[in-house]
Amino acid sequence: MSHKYVYLFNEGNAGMRDLLGGKGANLAEMTSLGLPVPYGFTVSTEACTRYYEDGKVINDEIVEQIKAALAITEEKAGKKFGSAENPFLVSVRSGARASMPGMMDTILNLGLNDETVEALARLTDNPRFAYDSYRRFIQMFSDVVMEIDKEKFSRLLENKKKANNVELDKDLTAENLKELINEYKALYKAEMGVDFPQEPMVQLLEAVKAVFRSWDNPRAIVYRRMNDIPASWGTAVNVQSMVFGNMGDDSGTGVAFTRNPATGEKKLFGEFLMNAQGEDVVAGIRTPETIDSLKTINESVYNQFVQVAQTLEDHYRDMQDMEFTIERGKLFMLQTRNGKRTAAAALQVAVDLVNEGMITKEEAVNMIDPKQLDALLHPQFAAAELKAAKPVATGLAASPGAACGKVYFSADAAKAHHETGEKVVLARKETSPEDIEGMSASEGIFTSFGGMTSHAAVVARQLGTCCVSGCKEAYIDEESKTITFNSGAVMKEGDWISLDGTTGKVYAEAIKTQPAELSGNFATIMEWADAIRTLKIRTNADSPAQAATAIKFGAEGIGLCRTEHMFFDEDRIPAVREMIVSKTVEERERALAKILPMQREDFKGIYKVMKEHPVTIRFLDPPLHEFLPTKDEDIAALAETMGITFEQLKETVAALHESNPMMGHRGCRLSVTYPEIAEMQTRAVIEAAIEVRQEDGYNIVPEIMIPLVGEVKELAYVKSFVVATAKKVMEEKGMEIPYMVGTMIEIPRAALTADDIAKEAEFFSFGTNDLTQMTFGFSRDDAGKFLKDYYDKKIFESDPFARVDQIGVGKLMKMAADLGRQTRPNIKLGICGEHGGDPSSIEFCHKIGLNYVSCSPFRIPIARLAAAQAKLRNK
Amino acid sequence: MSHKYVYLFNEGNAGMRDLLGGKGANLAEMTSLGLPVPYGFTVSTEACTRYYEDGKVINDEIVEQIKAALAITEEKAGKKFGSAENPFLVSVRSGARASMPGMMDTILNLGLNDETVEALARLTDNPRFAYDSYRRFIQMFSDVVMEIDKEKFSRLLENKKKANNVELDKDLTAENLKELINEYKALYKAEMGVDFPQEPMVQLLEAVKAVFRSWDNPRAIVYRRMNDIPASWGTAVNVQSMVFGNMGDDSGTGVAFTRNPATGEKKLFGEFLMNAQGEDVVAGIRTPETIDSLKTINESVYNQFVQVAQTLEDHYRDMQDMEFTIERGKLFMLQTRNGKRTAAAALQVAVDLVNEGMITKEEAVNMIDPKQLDALLHPQFAAAELKAAKPVATGLAASPGAACGKVYFSADAAKAHHETGEKVVLARKETSPEDIEGMSASEGIFTSFGGMTSHAAVVARQLGTCCVSGCKEAYIDEESKTITFNSGAVMKEGDWISLDGTTGKVYAEAIKTQPAELSGNFATIMEWADAIRTLKIRTNADSPAQAATAIKFGAEGIGLCRTEHMFFDEDRIPAVREMIVSKTVEERERALAKILPMQREDFKGIYKVMKEHPVTIRFLDPPLHEFLPTKDEDIAALAETMGITFEQLKETVAALHESNPMMGHRGCRLSVTYPEIAEMQTRAVIEAAIEVRQEDGYNIVPEIMIPLVGEVKELAYVKSFVVATAKKVMEEKGMEIPYMVGTMIEIPRAALTADDIAKEAEFFSFGTNDLTQMTFGFSRDDAGKFLKDYYDKKIFESDPFARVDQIGVGKLMKMAADLGRQTRPNIKLGICGEHGGDPSSIEFCHKIGLNYVSCSPFRIPIARLAAAQAKLRNK
């Protein structure tokens, strides 16, 4: 029993997208709606997969099915492939499940050869048209199917125009084009060693193979990775009877949207060209006319098109993006699909469609790509100003939004100038934890080293600050306070710089920005999403300011408050360092006592912003050497400040050195060695909660989170003195308050033994950054060097640090969630890794039954929407 | 319903070891055998656990049960606690499930006080004996129960002797002792602030608590950790009617073994002292007599004892270690247990018992502690010579055996002197991979830095070479070529040094060694073990010499041949470095072509030794920077040798730097980036196999092992060019040979996705070193700094790098084994981490159904025995 690989347009429908690709499914759907679609067939995505499985050959079975479908299509058209009387011509287009730029697009006029071109000339009584179609076909086929450099064809065309002293293609005569055809064919032979294929079936099968191949070209691979499209999906191929928009002035071709894709306005929006094929509209040589003017050219076709557009929008219940061709006054629909739109338009259309009664609120919520929202949540360049600006370099789009300010080269300088009221941008080779204050003071951050997960990028996303990182086209010299761009431009301290963190572009000039817009449609959609979702959304925030931003974006709590960020503050780090070099418990406690009041104030500030929303506070996590310098000169300077000898400090630094700091003395391991650190932190957490209760009446229930636990006894040990300290503080203060003690699940062993760990932990928060590192066995800092090879070689299709690896890491997460609930049915489960802001990861969290996700403040709206969609998709 | 915590001796038996402890269970068993055991009772291990659960108090319920049992015991004795007429006295001894030094041992004469001592004096008509017993009791109670420094009591005793001008304790008169008692009591009061307790029940309960407390003293904790004894077991307490060996010349006490514990010879072996208590035998002031002389002193008691010994050995079917006391001519048995014995004796006894028809071969195999065998497998110091030697320092006993040689301070010097026929010992601060040749040339390795898992220790164990590592009492100066010991002794190049890798002792002199003895009883036991076990035993070996050693020890294959060790060879490393600095595939291939013939010869050498035993070859694993120097001066020197600039080489070194090299660009990640490395290695593996087949006719089936796989596509990718290369080589050589491709399971994700990975892998080998690191999230190099705290705080009870963590890592292993078999039912499963030589880990491997374990050559006999025991225990 043979498998069906080829579907005629009347055999499919819109629901068969996986099999027929988006384009094929919609062509089938339009056919069944009775719309004027040139007939044809679709070679399925399964044929593509089979092609790869068979070692890049099209199986005979598939070839036979193509031939059979072609015969039916020919019959419908009353034409024949290769016929010298009434030749049949087709277009061949790729069409994957998801629209994918980078893949082979279109071959038109397939079926033309030296014989059929003459028949076409005769039948249309338009030799120029026929020859032009043939030479276009040769060029397209050579370029797209055979990968001959198309410049070589363009050069022949240009020469021909020059030789005949004409400026536009259309001014070449039929005779000129005939000569050009011969030159094209000669070029083809020279390049390929064989003649241009005259047999239409050979042309067709080669074209189909080219589409299959293009599924795997480098651009397509990159796009797939960026958009989480698995290689296994494959692409379909659509073969369709040709209709010609270039048969004369009663013919034309165009594209249109049922609504405005930039604003969402409900008004037909599009453009067309008469006497043209699709590529002419794109080429930009002639300026297309707006769709409205079609009315004046051919009112009945216009009216028919308006009607078709309405039918399609009603049918698909979404804004449609359509391609059409008019052949000798007759309208043909070549494609329809849900139209791509800007974030603003997406919200407008969704809200309008609900108001028009066309879709439900749930459908509206489901319609918006959460990732798109990002653009709305940050300042953007004013469109008019941006148009006039010219970028000087491009780096990595590390944290979205636009920034404009005067450039400074040290955190201190940035901070100082910010305090005078200047808008500043911080430029550094790379940033380090000590730069945190300068980073907070900046509109944007610019680095020449480091990737999407460098310190600068991670902190910027956390702060919601625009960041362009790893810009290889700029040499940032912190000594001389200059940036030298590859272009030769040099920028010095205090010069204006503008950064676009959404595109990675850098401008050596001031460009006005406009603030984010969070009301109107945005607020409406968020409200609908909130009504649907069951996952709570918390934020990762380390300061009252961040917490306030998060609340503005809709945060329902803090899922991760990193206490070490507070330790880097200029006025605290001396005490932290004093604590680190302490030789005895007493010395350490003395240093910690200096930190206590500051840490308590931090927590009070955060509690007051969060009111009674839950706040999860993670105890000190990084290895202690992060608080000390490594270079001898810095050690010497610090030793002097601290009033100890260089040797003493150097010895501490050396003792703290680790071969693999990620897997070293950090997290709860610090508390095991130095219980007094966790005791101080517990004291700060509980004292702050009591004081806020006394001052503001808020019932704060702090959640104390012990990081890096791998064994229940480790947690039990640390918890024992957390509980003892809390008890002591409450007795001292004469007030009992409730609090919880829980743990991060970020070590594989914690996940594996979560049933044990839940005996002590009142909540789990998945630290998926570390969990991913440990589960894959590579460190994020080092993996950058080899992960590129993994993407190139299709070993990984998405970045496991951006999207939860559901197969491996996810298995551990599910296991931990299940085991945790087994021991403690009401255990509170959350996630606080960077994955907490990624829609697909959020859906996974929903599926394994977490209670909340926690993400950086600027990801909260995305998370709210994604959580609602997760609920809708997993009812 | 109350729980039973206290058992009379006639209520227990030898099977109740978990509840009554070893001593208690055996006392009960001897009682039921009708042997002369002073009556008493045992407070169970559950009472100890309860004591800790209740916050270190003895529950009233338990106290009541103790009182009840005491009453019955008193009744049997016809005496009464505290009675002024006929006082009852007891001994109190600890007794855990496993014999545990470091715990509280014994309190004798409990029940004595100012009043009962007089009764005792009267009843025995021996006031001197009575007072001596009392003063001993005060001293023991004060020391053991109250932790008063016993030196203080010894000083009073010495003063008393001096004052009375006598030399021996026994020359003190009753009057002297009476005075001494008063001085002891005064001392007690001064130390404790209260009077010495006169109430026998108070004495008893305090003594029981002291036993419970001693379960948790630091020495006991260390011992438990070293011997894998969980804290939760607890200890029991035995309370027994006192009998006195010091009641006069017709009394005595002694210890004896039913066979010679040093040699295993079947002959009663032991010693005794007349008119003495147990502590006198130990104290060494009087020289005990051998057990045979008891015959001349009291033939009937001797005969009775011989009879009892035979009864016990027959009953327990093992060599017994017994304690006895003769009170006024009457024999009492105080303890029996299976006797500790040397490795040689263990083998002798086991073989003899089988020959005597007393036990089966299975029981003989089960009787020997596999860890003990280690001592037999390495050279040892000649006992006579060792007796005369004096250690100058002690380091870590990193790799067992004894070594004697002239000391050298660089690998090159060690190698050079070895080649002249000298026996050499290599002394280094710490070793690095470049030292490998010098290490192989040495009899022993001595380092001042690094722990049990340092490079020196790991490689030494692999080589079977004696190693003392991390000796903090020695300052090794490689520059001046001297070792300065803390004692002040200085040793220079070429001086004799002797190392004992089993004890960690270092001697600044030559001590003769004698070779390992692998025939006789050893061979017999191994043969029996081999007949039982189902687990195969392979070895980790990187050279023909190691392979040959392994074969001698009974290896059935190589489970891990680390190819990188070959890369460090002096004549290869230049080509390896050339490969690393290569900028293009061509350059890299050129450098690899130089390595190919050498690597091929390596494999040929190994295949020829292993004949047709399987050989698993792991492809290049370490990060490339391990092959390059890091210091500027070394880089400069190497650059010159390589004929490149300092900058070029420095740049390569910088580019290879990693923050967390353990989780960096290594293992199969290298092959993904540089397929040509794996291609070269495949070529070497296959060419060697074909050539050996041609030269020797062996059918070699190489097993190619791809390390550090975490994702099936990663393995599939690497495998694709391994297979292609193998095919090419076989075509070139015109010979097909079978081979397998498999992977290490050492990344958590590999274990989690083992069902997928088994689609490509024909075998799995658990790399439990890395798997442990990743699962726990700490690196072995760094964990040393904080693991001590983990042991001290009882968070970890055993070293997860020595013994498989069955709860966490083991869960992953079981999961991987099950998932692997699910996909590929006949998948070959093994382990090649260091755990492969650890008996408890071997049992775990047996239980989860692995096919083999692989360990270093010198662990093979241990593994063979452990595998047999695993089979017997898990029938």
Side-chain angles (χ1 to χ4, degrees), chain B residues 325-448:
Chain B
T325 283
I326 304 164
E327 188 185 73
R328 293 187 170 161
K330 189 164 184 303
L331 176 70
F332 290 97
M333 295 304 297
L334 298 185
Q335 170 163 359
T336 192
R337 58 184 170 190
N338 293 341
K340 288 212 187 286
R341 60 206 86 176
T342 64
L347 296 176
Q348 184 71 51
V349 168
V351 171
D352 283 350
L353 288 177
V354 170
N355 291 340
E356 291 161 21
M358 214 188 300
I359 61 172
T360 64
K361 289 174 184 174
E362 284 73 16
E363 287 169 318
V365 163
N366 240 345
M367 191 173 235
I368 293 156
D369 178 1
K371 286 181 192 159
Q372 242 193 332
L373 290 185
D374 215 17
L376 298 175
L377 307 176
H378 299 273
Q380 301 295 326
F381 288 128
E385 293 228 6
L386 187 60
K387 224 163 206 175
K390 211 175 123 29
V392 289
T394 305
L396 300 173
S399 178
C404 173
K406 292 183 173 179
V407 70
Y408 292 97
F409 295 88
S410 73
D412 286 346
K415 196 181 156 210
H417 284 268
H418 167 73
E419 281 163 5
T420 69
E422 262 181 38
K423 295 204 159 190
V424 303
V425 165
L426 176 63
R428 303 277 298 161
K429 278 204 173 66
E430 44 193 338
T431 61
S432 73
E434 295 171 36
D435 295 333
I436 188 83
E437 287 186 276
M439 293 170 81
S440 312
S442 301
E443 305 295 309
I445 296 155
F446 180 46
T447 69
S448 51

Side-chain angles (χ1 to χ4, degrees), chain B residues 677-742:
Chain B
I677 300 179
E679 281 165 1
M680 180 282 282
Q681 295 201 294
T682 304
R683 181 168 279 278
V685 164
I686 303 291
E687 285 182 354
I690 291 176
E691 290 179 19
V692 169
R693 171 116 177 233
Q694 289 166 335
E695 291 166 20
D696 301 271
Y698 299 143
N699 288 308
I700 310 289
V701 185
E703 300 176 357
I704 293 175
M705 181 154 74
I706 310 300
L708 220 72
V709 164
E711 155 63 45
V712 64
K713 289 191 212 154
E714 197 176 28
L715 176 59
Y717 176 72
V718 176
K719 186 179 165 185
S720 71
F721 50 79
V722 166
V723 169
T725 305
K727 188 159 174 272
K728 204 158 114 192
V729 172
M730 291 192 275
E731 281 165 10
E732 286 167 15
K733 294 263 177 186
M735 184 184 281
E736 288 264 335
I737 59 155
Y739 68 98
M740 296 171 81
V741 181

Side-chain angles (χ1 to χ4, degrees), chain A residues 655 657 659-663 669 672-673 714 717 749 752 775-777 779 782 785 789-790 793 805 811, chain B residues 655 657 659-663 669 672-673 714 717 749 752 775-777 779 782 785 789-790 793 805 811:
Chain A
H657 171 80
S659 329
N660 295 286
M662 245 222 41
M663 309 184 79
R669 296 164 196 164
V672 170
T673 314
E714 198 175 28
Y717 177 71
R749 196 173 186 280
L752 291 163
T775 305
F776 276 91
S779 100
D782 303 314
K785 286 184 195 164
D789 293 316
Y790 275 66
K793 292 169 181 172
D805 156 49
K811 193 168 190 175
Chain B
H657 172 78
S659 326
N660 294 287
M662 244 222 43
M663 308 185 78
R669 297 165 194 163
V672 169
T673 314
E714 197 176 28
Y717 176 72
R749 196 175 186 278
L752 292 163
T775 304
F776 276 91
S779 99
D782 303 314
K785 286 185 197 163
D789 293 316
Y790 275 66
K793 291 167 182 175
D805 155 48
K811 193 169 189 176

Side-chain angles (χ1 to χ4, degrees), chain B residues 312-329:
Chain B
L312 285 171
E313 192 180 271
D314 289 351
H315 182 72
Y316 285 101
R317 301 188 305 141
D318 194 1
M319 179 181 90
Q320 294 301 297
D321 168 4
M322 303 157 295
E323 290 180 21
F324 64 93
T325 283
I326 304 164
E327 188 185 73
R328 293 187 170 161

Side-chain angles (χ1 to χ4, degrees), chain B residues 473-484:
Chain B
E473 299 170 24
Y475 178 76
I476 297 178
D477 186 341
E478 294 159 0
E479 289 285 305
S480 70
K481 298 180 186 160
T482 54
I483 309 174
T484 310

Side-chain angles (χ1 to χ4, degrees), chain A residues 654-666 668-675 708 710-711 713-714 717 747-756 773-783 785-786 789-790 793-797 805 807-809 811-812 815 819, chain B residues 654-666 668-675 708 710-711 713-714 717 747-756 773-783 785-786 789-790 793-797 805 807-809 811-812 815 819:
Chain A
L656 290 175
H657 171 80
E658 297 184 308
S659 329
N660 295 286
M662 245 222 41
M663 309 184 79
H665 197 185
R666 49 177 285 244
C668 67
R669 296 164 196 164
L670 293 172
S671 304
V672 170
T673 314
Y674 309 117
L708 220 71
E711 155 64 43
K713 289 189 211 157
E714 198 175 28
Y717 177 71
I747 297 277
R749 196 173 186 280
L752 291 163
T753 62
D755 43 352
D756 280 342
Q773 298 194 87
M774 310 278 186
T775 305
F776 276 91
F778 47 66
S779 100
R780 198 153 75 156
D781 296 331
D782 303 314
K785 286 184 195 164
F786 54 83
D789 293 316
Y790 275 66
K793 292 169 181 172
K794 292 192 286 184
I795 295 170
F796 289 161
E797 296 192 357
D805 156 49
I807 296 170
V809 177
K811 193 168 190 175
L812 277 181
M815 191 185 296
L819 289 172
Chain B
L656 290 177
H657 172 78
E658 295 183 312
S659 326
N660 294 287
M662 244 222 43
M663 308 185 78
H665 197 184
R666 50 177 284 241
C668 67
R669 297 165 194 163
L670 293 170
S671 304
V672 169
T673 314
Y674 309 118
L708 220 72
E711 155 63 45
K713 289 191 212 154
E714 197 176 28
Y717 176 72
I747 297 275
R749 196 175 186 278
L752 292 163
T753 64
D755 43 353
D756 280 342
Q773 297 193 86
M774 311 276 187
T775 304
F776 276 91
F778 48 67
S779 99
R780 201 153 72 158
D781 297 332
D782 303 314
K785 286 185 197 163
F786 54 84
D789 293 316
Y790 275 66
K793 291 167 182 175
K794 290 193 285 182
I795 294 169
F796 289 162
E797 297 194 354
D805 155 48
I807 297 170
V809 176
K811 193 169 189 176
L812 276 180
M815 190 185 297
L819 288 171

Side-chain angles (χ1 to χ4, degrees), chain A residues 345-355 359 364 367-368 525 528:
Chain A
L347 296 176
Q348 185 70 53
V349 169
V351 171
D352 284 351
L353 289 176
V354 171
N355 291 339
I359 61 173
M367 192 174 235
I368 293 155
I525 291 285
W528 294 346

Side-chain angles (χ1 to χ4, degrees), chain B residues 200-314:
Chain B
M201 188 50 74
V202 171
Q203 295 172 354
L204 178 60
L205 292 176
E206 285 302 323
V208 170
K209 274 195 267 180
V211 172
F212 288 163
R213 277 200 309 273
S214 75
W215 174 248
D216 226 23
N217 78 31
R219 274 175 64 207
I221 290 172
V222 168
Y223 184 85
R224 280 209 300 273
R225 187 190 324 143
M226 282 170 49
N227 291 276
D228 301 331
I229 298 173
S232 60
W233 280 7
T235 182
V237 186
N238 300 293
V239 179
Q240 194 172 19
S241 306
M242 271 303 298
V243 287
F244 295 94
N246 56 346
M247 264 199 191
D249 292 338
D250 56 350
S251 301
T253 190
V255 297
F257 291 81
T258 56
R259 298 176 189 231
N260 186 319
T263 64
E265 189 194 0
K266 190 181 177 183
K267 183 170 180 314
L268 204 57
F269 178 94
E271 48 191 25
F272 71 99
L273 268 178
M274 294 310 279
N275 198 11
Q277 275 196 325
E279 53 174 342
D280 301 315
V281 182
V282 181
I285 297 167
R286 287 161 60 194
T287 306
E289 298 184 65
T290 65
I291 194 76
D292 295 339
S293 9
L294 182 58
K295 196 170 183 177
T296 59
I297 294 174
N298 187 335
E299 189 168 357
S300 98
V301 165
Y302 175 77
N303 287 339
Q304 187 191 359
F305 183 69
V306 170
Q307 185 57 46
V308 166
Q310 192 59 51
T311 303
L312 285 171
E313 192 180 271
D314 289 351

